[in-house]
């Protein structure tokens, strides 16, 4: 018998302006594919673990 993995609870809830901005992004993500956006993604990929560790 195969055991199923437990569901991962992320615990992220967006409200207010954050929720509105996320919905806007999800409606047209290509609109945000800019040089500045790509630079932010590169930074997060390079420093994301440090950032998460600093807020835990």
């Amino acid at each position: 018998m195969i055991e199923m993995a437990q569901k991962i609870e992320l615990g992220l809830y967006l409200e207010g302006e954050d929720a509105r901005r996320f919905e806007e992004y999800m409606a047209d993500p290509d609109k945000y594919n800019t040089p500045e956006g790509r630079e932010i993604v590169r930074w997060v990929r390079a420093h994301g673990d440090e950032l998460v560790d600093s807020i835990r």
Side-chain angles (χ1 to χ4, degrees), residues 3-53:
E3 284 189 43
M4 300 297 287
Q6 287 184 322
K7 180 180 176 184
I8 298 173
E9 296 290 336
L10 297 179
L12 176 63
Y13 299 95
L14 300 176
E15 297 177 347
E17 182 66 12
D18 292 332
R20 188 197 62 75
R21 291 178 61 205
F22 180 74
E23 290 294 329
E24 181 180 309
Y25 168 78
M26 291 304 292
D28 187 12
D30 290 335
K31 174 181 172 184
Y32 301 93
N33 187 9
T34 64
E36 295 84 5
R38 289 189 293 276
E39 181 62 29
I40 290 169
V41 169
R42 281 192 286 275
W43 186 90
V44 169
R45 286 183 177 154
H47 302 286
D49 291 338
E50 299 167 30
L51 184 61
V52 170
D53 289 342

